[in-house]
Amino acid sequence: MNRLLVLISVGLLTITGCASGGLPTHAPSTLVPASTGVLTPSGTTASPDTSIGSPVTTSAPASTTEPPTSPEPVDSGGSTTGGDIPDNAVFLTYTDVSHGFSIVYVEGWHATPTTGGVDIRDKDSIESVQIVPSVADVPSYISTTDLPQLQALSGYQFDTQDTVGVNGQQVDHLVYHAPAPPDPVTGKEVPSTIDRYYVAGPNGQLAVVTLSTPDGVDNVDAFREMIKSFAWS
């Protein structure tokens, strides 16, 4: 009887296990860790950023193409606007055989011989040479003859009077303001700053070199070249 109960119990257990289907026997599952990468916008996995501090920025390579340059200004042959003499002006030499002198002037300026010398002008700038014969005392000539004539000019305003060294020679020098001589075409008179040099020459001659430029225009370098170039022949 006991043996029969044991057999019946074993049979029931077998039937129950088959009905449930049973669980297959597997080795313990291994967990695969999730990716530690960072998903980039392109859908690929990039390595995580392990740098410390500010990110390194790589600049694009500098362009090796030279920037376009403006074309060189056209040389107007010395002609200027508003009296300003360009730095690249070309100088020519004016020689007056009858009065025995020479002086440089800017190419493109117009020279007009006068009774006592020459007037050379371009728009509002003027260079002139006037030869005065038989001047025994230059300072006296300036104070008694030339200055009174200048003071009679409309708009004359005295600035300075001194002596300057020109090619190793001390030369009397006067600076004043006055309207420039009327333009021969338009009649316009431009307020100007005038440098006037009195260069003594042979046989008591005196060259009065006048350099006029509109007020506010800096032609110092060009005018220096002009007065330095003056020579008696």
Side-chain angles (χ1 to χ4, degrees):
M1 182 65 179
N2 290 336
R3 183 179 179 181
L4 178 60
L5 291 174
V6 172
L7 291 173
I8 293 171
S9 298
V10 172
L12 290 173
L13 288 173
T14 301
I15 294 170
T16 302
C18 292
S20 63
L23 292 175
T25 302
H26 298 287
S29 300
T30 301
L31 295 178
V32 180
S35 171
T36 57
V38 179
L39 189 65
T40 63
S42 62
T44 60
T45 301
S47 299
D49 184 8
T50 58
S51 62
I52 298 174
S54 301
V56 178
T57 302
T58 303
S59 301
S63 172
T64 57
T65 304
E66 292 292 333
T69 57
S70 300
E72 291 294 327
V74 178
D75 188 352
S76 61
S79 181
T80 60
T81 300
D84 186 22
I85 301 172
D87 293 336
N88 63 346
V90 176
F91 288 89
L92 303 177
T93 299
Y94 178 88
T95 301
D96 189 322
V97 177
S98 62
H99 292 95
F101 73 87
S102 64
I103 192 169
V104 301
Y105 66 100
V106 179
E107 182 182 26
W109 288 28
H110 182 67
T112 303
T114 64
T115 302
V118 66
D119 286 340
I120 310 173
R121 67 182 301 160
D122 173 61
K123 296 185 174 68
D124 301 325
S125 291
I126 303 171
E127 171 188 13
S128 73
V129 179
Q130 183 73 21
I131 304 300
V132 182
S134 304
V135 177
D137 186 333
V138 175
S140 177
Y141 168 80
I142 295 172
S143 61
T144 62
T145 303
D146 203 43
L147 264 178
Q149 292 177 355
L150 294 175
Q151 292 167 348
L153 296 175
S154 175
Y156 169 85
Q157 181 181 351
F158 174 82
D159 192 328
T160 59
Q161 183 176 3
D162 57 9
T163 59
V164 296
V166 179
N167 297 329
Q169 177 184 359
Q170 287 299 308
V171 174
D172 287 279
H173 173 229
L174 178 66
V175 180
Y176 60 96
H177 301 275
D183 184 282
V185 177
T186 65
K188 181 180 179 182
E189 296 181 347
V190 178
S192 300
T193 300
I194 299 107
D195 284 83
R196 199 169 177 96
Y197 299 87
Y198 302 84
V199 185
N203 304 318
Q205 295 183 99
L206 178 67
V208 181
V209 182
T210 305
L211 306 175
S212 174
T213 193
D215 288 343
V217 176
D218 182 4
N219 282 328
V220 173
D221 292 338
F223 282 178
R224 183 182 293 115
E225 292 300 316
M226 293 175 184
I227 188 59
K228 283 172 56 180
S229 74
F230 179 86
W232 293 100
S233 57

